[in-house]
C-alpha cells in the first residue's frame, strides 16, 4: 500500500537486521554458556578444594548465569 519504495526498503532492512540480531544472540549464548561452565569447573577442580560436587556445580551455574 506504500507508494514510496524507499520506505518499504528501509522497513524491510530494519526487520531483517532485527531478526538477524535475535538469531545471533540465541546462537552464541549456549556455546558461551558451555564454555564458561567447563572452564570454570576445570579451574575449580584443579584447585583441589574439598567441596561437595553439588556445591561446586551450583557455584559454577551461578557464576555462569551471572556472567551471561
Amino acid at each position: 500500500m506504500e507508494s514510496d519504495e524507499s520506505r518499504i526498503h528501509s522497513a524491510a532492512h530494519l526487520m531483517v537486521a532485527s531478526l538477524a540480531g535475535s538469531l545471533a544472540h540465541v546462537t552464541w549464548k549456549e556455546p558461551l554458556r558451555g564454555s564458561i561452565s567447563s572452564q570454570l569447573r576445570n579451574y575449580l577442580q584443579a584447585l583441589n578444594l574439598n567441596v561437595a560436587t553439588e556445591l561446586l556445580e551450583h557455584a559454577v551455574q551461578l557464576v555462569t548465569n551471572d556472567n551471561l
Side-chain angles (χ1 to χ4, degrees), residues 12-55:
H13 182 72
L14 289 173
M15 183 177 68
V16 170
S18 176
L19 289 172
S22 297
L23 181 61
H25 179 71
V26 170
T27 302
W28 67 262
K29 195 171 185 178
E30 285 308 312
L32 182 62
R33 179 188 307 277
S35 179
I36 290 173
S37 295
S38 66
Q39 293 293 327
L40 183 58
R41 187 179 301 107
N42 291 340
Y43 178 73
L44 291 174
Q45 287 173 344
L47 291 176
N48 292 323
L49 302 172
N50 292 327
V51 178
T53 304
E54 296 84 21
L55 184 59

